[in-house]
Amino acid sequence: MTSGSRAPIGNLPDIVTKDEWPDARLDLLAREKALTREQLRLASDRRRLPMVRIDRDYVFEGPDGTRTLLGHFVMRPTLRVLGARVVRRQVANDDRLGE
């Protein structure tokens, strides 16, 4: 087979020479490293998101009985919620949102 030809079976990658493979591998490695750096930046940005103090006393019923929000996180000072969606509604005399 010639360089750059398609493999004869299924959905396999191109077939290249031994001299071409290192260049393809280095290109992929550079892209992988860039992706890793971006993921690390995003994780760092996520850790620096501002916090919101929760002043309301939430109480939960579970298999072990009643527990406060703070009781769920004994020995852990911070609750992180990722992917939360805050919906603000304008409803007269409705304090369900705790605002």
Side-chain angles (χ1 to χ4, degrees):
M1 284 193 182
T2 60
S3 174
S5 66
R6 293 300 303 171
I9 301 173
N11 230 0
L12 297 175
D14 290 343
I15 296 173
V16 297
T17 67
K18 289 180 182 179
D19 294 332
E20 293 171 312
W21 187 87
D23 291 336
R25 175 65 185 117
L26 288 175
D27 289 345
L28 179 61
L29 183 60
R31 291 175 43 215
E32 288 173 335
K33 286 183 177 185
L35 175 61
T36 298
R37 284 190 293 272
E38 181 60 21
Q39 288 173 320
L40 291 172
R41 276 192 294 271
L42 284 170
S44 177
D45 291 347
R46 184 181 304 112
R47 286 189 300 272
R48 287 193 306 270
L49 276 172
M51 294 189 282
V52 175
R53 180 179 299 276
I54 298 175
D55 294 323
R56 188 171 175 182
D57 292 327
Y58 289 93
V59 179
F60 302 92
E61 294 290 332
D64 298 328
T66 302
R67 189 183 288 182
T68 65
L69 181 62
L70 183 60
H72 280 289
F73 302 96
V74 176
M75 304 300 292
R76 288 178 240 147
T78 304
L79 164 65
R80 289 190 178 181
V81 179
L82 301 177
R85 190 170 165 189
V86 176
V87 178
R88 296 182 190 275
R89 295 184 293 171
Q90 298 294 326
V91 179
N93 298 324
D94 188 351
D95 66 343
R96 287 181 292 170
L97 296 177
E99 297 181 44

